[in-house]
Amino acid sequence: MRANKIFLRYYPPGLALNYRAADNTDRLRHFDLLDLDVKTNVDALADSILLHELQTHDSISTSSASSSNLNSNVLDKPVIGGEVGLSATVTASSSQDTFSALKQAINKLQRKLLEPVKKKFYLHKRHVSHILPLTNVCFDRGGERCLTGSYDRTCHVINTNTAEVEHVLTGHDNVVFSVGFNTPRWSVSYGFWNNAILFSTFYSDKVVTGSFDATAKVWSAASGQCLCTLYGHNAELVAAEFHPLHTYGLATASLDGTARVYDVETAQELQQLSHHSAEVIAAHYNRDGQLLLTGSFDRTAAIWDTRSNSCSHQLRSHSAQLSNCVWNFSGSLIATGSLDNTACIWDVRRLDQPLHLISTHSDEVLDVSFDAAGKLLATCSSDCTARVWQVSGAMEELSVMAGHCDEVSKVCFSPSGCMLLTASADNTARLWLTESGMCSQVLAGHEAEVFSCAYSYAGDTIITASKDNTCKFWR
Amino acid sequence: MGLLSLLRKLRPNPDKEARILLLGLDNAGKTTILKQLASEDITTVTPTAGFNIKSVAADGFKLNVWDIGGQWKIRPYWKNYFANTDVLIYVIDCTDRTRLSEAGSELFEMLLDNRLKQVPLLVFANKQDLPEAMSASEVAEAMGLVRLEERSWEIKACTAVDGTGLKEGMDWVCKNMKK
């Protein structure tokens, strides 16, 4: 067994091996290492990947990976610079080399999981070109650009380094509420010449905005031009998300009580998902995009099979409106937060009742968020606290983040999961150590409540967006 | 409050909840009125570069009052907030004679919007404590409020800084609510 190249994905940890199989074909095999932590025995893991996983797969697989289009959800980073790729000329001791390179790769993934607990963030730039309050924000995968939605009906594409506006996306007739990039894609091809592997990097090239004007618009991230407008909803559109694998799919959620799926290429509505009896406020694809999870003010979440256009499950247990619902990375668990002061964790194999009920918040649960690997869940509440839960193995409360003096409306983990970021109506965002619940930092300076916050994928930049019409970059 | 509660306050609520829009030119006293209604301190009111929302209980109703900034450059965005409005309150600075016609034209232009069709209108003639203030009837006449047809409307004199007249105005609001 000889690996030509190893690709790494830091968050959640995973890798892909490009190797020459026994039948002399080039293959690419992905491994999720979601359970990897600092205590993992690297030798044993490398061993099991090479000996068991790969060979078992080899014997059953018949497909030859002559070309493969890789998606970042599955694969994040070809290891360029600090490359762990192997020389293809080594033949005699090749399997030994593969083993040590694999260990090196896993070690690197392990180190990435330790970042960055001690790092302090400082105000890097302030972005002031919106003239009305901001809504949601997000980074692209590289952390070089971010999107800000605003009550001023625009979305700004901002260069994170300079805080300068690259594009102002204008065209919506009302508040831009939801913003998102499409999934970046890595294209890998195998050259015929010398079997060299060519990979080219693509960044997210499209942006979606969802507006209170009941439409979504798709924009070119490079030019800022509007590519299409997606009509159909008849009330405020509050969530919009690209399909994780193919960029022509897009799901939306609206206060009109429906979720819809669109084809971005043709701007046609493909599906109308209208099982909910009240406003739909969240819509998230699972990892492979075959299922769509929606959360509604009708107190339920629903899972839709986007292939058959049907509601396959409705998650009933909450006694008040849902505030959010999310998948974990692998799609095995779902978390729902509700204004009934509880959050629920659901096992997708058994959806008639929640796997676990979180009921220690004393007021409305306003947001729920899994860490990258899906081993931890964070909840935040009007009771001014955020809480972190261990969801692998025994469900238990790991830590309580107390310190905000007004409701905590958004919560997210750092990519490594070591830190928790919260946004609050007390005009601050705060950083907490996940394990202990200690406050590491107060990101203060906004003059009104912080509506949203986000971590860049590399974990080195934070954006906070506020009702005070500004957003701040912290590094 | 957070983005989620903004969504919640955006929708018509079947229960005894109403959405009140508080508009007017900059420096008319909208935020002061809002804070008075919510019994909050009014010593630190600054120009609103966005919006403020407070929930006020009155007559068994929960009034979600949206105070929208009135500066010239953000007036075009007033219509962001028109949907599902139950009562419109328009605040006039009665000492600002030079901008009364501007206040009037902004109001009449806004009332053309379909979403505000048949929404009851309350005009607060504010700042009555100041000596040069016009009276409510002067304001009504100057603005031509009588031109308003097929809409229930009322003008009330008030002084936001000490709360005079606000109660009477809100009583009218509760009685004339769209629902």
Side-chain angles (χ1 to χ4, degrees):
Chain A
M1 182 73 46
R2 194 183 74 206
N4 294 321
K5 207 133 207 160
I6 304 175
F7 300 87
L8 300 187
R9 181 192 60 215
Y10 298 148
Y11 311 116
L15 53 81
L17 282 178
N18 165 235
Y19 64 100
R20 177 60 56 86
D23 59 2
N24 227 18
T25 54
D26 259 356
R27 302 250 173 104
L28 191 70
R29 178 83 205 280
H30 303 264
F31 296 93
D32 282 335
L33 306 175
L34 302 183
D35 292 327
L36 185 77
D37 60 26
V38 286
K39 293 179 216 121
T40 306
N41 181 331
V42 176
D43 281 24
L45 180 58
D47 235 23
S48 82
I49 289 175
L50 285 181
L51 292 179
H52 305 294
E53 296 284 342
L54 218 47
Q55 278 170 8
T56 322
H57 178 75
D58 233 20
S59 57
I60 54 166
S61 162
T62 52
S63 73
S64 159
S66 57
S67 76
S68 166
N69 205 4
L70 299 174
N71 173 275
S72 80
N73 230 359
V74 190
L75 182 70
D76 175 59
K77 199 171 183 80
V79 189
I80 336 163
E83 187 155 40
V84 201
L86 290 177
S87 159
T89 57
V90 182
T91 46
S93 59
S94 63
S95 84
Q96 197 51 45
D97 277 357
T98 301
F99 184 66
S100 73
L102 186 57
K103 280 203 304 187
Q104 216 183 317
I106 297 171
N107 271 320
K108 180 157 191 185
L109 292 178
Q110 262 181 335
R111 284 198 302 278
K112 282 287 173 186
L113 289 177
L114 289 172
E115 294 176 354
V117 181
K118 292 207 178 97
K119 186 169 181 236
K120 292 285 179 196
F121 286 83
Y122 299 93
L123 181 63
H124 173 62
K125 293 279 181 185
R126 202 163 148 257
H127 171 65
V128 295
S129 58
H130 282 295
I131 60 167
L132 284 175
L134 276 75
T135 53
N136 286 297
V137 293
C138 77
F139 281 107
D140 70 351
R141 191 59 168 251
E144 282 146 17
R145 290 169 303 176
C146 80
L147 303 174
T148 55
S150 166
Y151 269 75
D152 68 14
R153 302 177 193 156
T154 66
C155 167
H156 291 184
V157 183
I158 303 170
N159 180 312
T160 317
N161 286 316
T162 61
E164 274 164 20
V165 180
E166 287 183 359
H167 300 293
V168 177
L169 310 182
T170 39
H172 280 298
D173 292 331
N174 209 325
V175 181
V176 175
F177 193 75
S178 157
V179 295
F181 282 105
N182 64 344
T183 323
R185 297 169 81 83
W186 306 95
S187 145
V188 179
S189 52
Y190 300 87
F192 293 107
W193 196 252
N194 205 17
N195 279 336
I197 300 166
L198 312 163
F199 59 81
S200 21
T201 327
F202 291 102
Y203 294 99
S204 297
D205 60 346
K206 291 193 182 77
V207 168
V208 61
T209 52
S211 164
F212 284 4
D213 69 8
T215 71
K217 284 178 188 284
V218 176
W219 316 76
S220 157
S223 70
Q225 294 298 304
C226 181
L227 301 176
C228 67
T229 303
L230 307 173
Y231 298 94
H233 283 294
N234 44 44
E236 293 83 352
L237 201 149
V238 296
E241 186 177 282
F242 279 104
H243 191 285
L245 296 186
H246 37 77
T247 34
Y248 59 82
L250 192 146
T252 57
S254 162
L255 300 189
D256 69 7
T258 68
R260 292 171 202 237
V261 176
Y262 291 90
D263 183 325
V264 171
E265 304 283 321
T266 62
Q268 293 300 302
E269 180 183 313
L270 299 179
Q271 295 170 2
Q272 179 177 336
L273 311 175
S274 47
H275 195 71
H276 284 296
S277 59
E279 295 83 356
V280 184
I281 45 95
H284 297 292
Y285 280 109
N286 74 338
R287 187 181 176 185
D288 63 12
Q290 296 188 338
L291 301 175
L292 186 71
L293 173 68
T294 56
S296 168
F297 281 176
D298 73 1
R299 307 170 185 190
T300 72
I303 299 174
W304 308 81
D305 191 320
T306 57
R307 296 158 298 185
S308 65
N309 187 16
S310 62
C311 177
S312 59
H313 286 286
Q314 199 161 15
L315 283 55
R316 300 164 199 272
S317 140
H318 287 294
S319 57
Q321 294 105 305
L322 260 63
S323 50
N324 199 4
C325 55
V326 286
W327 300 95
N328 70 345
F329 175 78
S330 66
S332 60
L333 296 175
I334 288 169
T336 52
S338 165
L339 305 182
D340 67 6
N341 302 1
T342 71
C344 287
I345 299 169
W346 307 75
D347 184 332
V348 292
R349 294 166 301 182
R350 189 160 182 235
L351 292 166
D352 54 333
Q353 62 181 55
L355 180 68
H356 189 74
L357 174 71
I358 289 169
S359 55
T360 52
H361 281 294
S362 58
D363 206 339
E364 299 170 340
V365 174
L366 298 177
D367 196 17
V368 290
S369 177
F370 280 108
D371 72 334
K375 290 190 283 190
L376 300 172
L377 177 74
T379 56
C380 67
S381 164
S382 302
D383 71 8
C384 307
T385 69
R387 288 162 196 263
V388 173
W389 309 81
Q390 194 97 47
V391 294
S392 57
M395 297 287 169
E396 56 186 31
E397 190 172 283
L398 190 67
S399 48
V400 181
M401 284 70 178
H404 278 298
C405 45
D406 205 334
E407 64 174 44
V408 186
S409 57
K410 278 277 178 349
V411 64
C412 64
F413 282 96
S414 70
S416 67
C418 298
M419 310 284 287
L420 193 75
L421 175 63
T422 53
S424 166
D426 70 5
N427 301 4
T428 71
R430 295 183 194 219
L431 276 167
W432 314 79
L433 301 179
T434 304
E435 292 228 336
S436 62
M438 299 257 290
C439 183
S440 151
Q441 244 190 303
V442 178
L443 305 178
H446 279 297
E447 287 159 15
E449 66 181 283
V450 183
F451 275 157
S452 54
C453 56
Y455 246 109
S456 69
Y457 174 76
D460 58 354
T461 310
I462 286 172
I463 179 173
T464 53
S466 165
K467 189 165 168 282
D468 70 6
N469 307 353
T470 72
C471 68
K472 291 173 192 269
F473 296 100
W474 310 79
R475 282 201 165 163
Chain B
M1 181 166 56
L3 291 174
L4 183 74
S5 50
L6 287 175
L7 298 185
R8 287 159 75 193
K9 296 211 165 91
L10 211 57
R11 302 305 293 164
N13 196 307
D15 303 331
K16 287 197 139 192
E17 220 169 290
R19 196 171 123 97
I20 312 290
L21 211 48
L22 196 54
L23 292 172
L25 303 190
D26 44 305
N27 200 37
K30 299 177 292 298
T31 306
T32 306
I33 289 177
L34 181 75
K35 290 198 162 196
Q36 278 288 6
L37 290 174
S39 312
E40 285 181 20
D41 176 38
I42 55 160
T43 52
T44 57
V45 175
T46 54
T48 304
F51 55 85
N52 300 298
I53 308 172
K54 307 240 178 259
S55 293
V56 183
D59 265 5
F61 284 98
K62 184 180 170 197
L63 307 180
N64 296 316
V65 186
W66 292 61
D67 153 38
I68 316 294
Q71 292 159 50
W72 176 77
K73 67 168 184 177
I74 56 177
R75 272 180 232 158
Y77 299 92
W78 279 356
K79 41 178 190 280
N80 282 4
Y81 311 88
F82 286 173
N84 305 313
T85 300
D86 293 307
V87 178
L88 174 64
I89 301 180
Y90 199 71
V91 185
I92 304 285
D93 173 356
C94 294
T95 66
D96 191 354
R97 291 167 191 266
T98 53
R99 292 205 300 166
L100 189 61
S101 64
E102 185 184 348
S105 57
E106 290 283 0
L107 173 65
F108 279 97
E109 191 191 319
M110 173 164 71
L111 293 178
L112 294 176
D113 193 286
N114 241 344
R115 289 167 293 180
L116 293 180
K117 211 176 171 185
Q118 295 179 340
V119 170
L121 167 72
L122 171 68
V123 178
F124 266 135
N126 191 21
K127 310 200 185 180
Q128 294 296 323
D129 56 324
L130 298 177
E132 69 274 32
M134 294 172 283
S135 71
S137 53
E138 272 179 87
V139 169
E141 187 161 336
M143 288 175 66
L145 291 181
V146 285
R147 281 189 283 150
L148 291 172
E149 289 164 5
E150 293 174 17
R151 183 189 302 271
S152 54
W153 65 275
E154 178 67 84
I155 184 162
K156 296 269 186 199
C158 77
T159 305
V161 286
D162 62 13
T164 309
L166 295 186
K167 170 93 178 55
E168 291 78 358
M170 296 319 281
D171 286 346
W172 183 89
V173 164
C174 291
K175 280 197 203 86
N176 291 274
M177 219 167 306
K178 213 171 96 187
K179 40 184 79 174

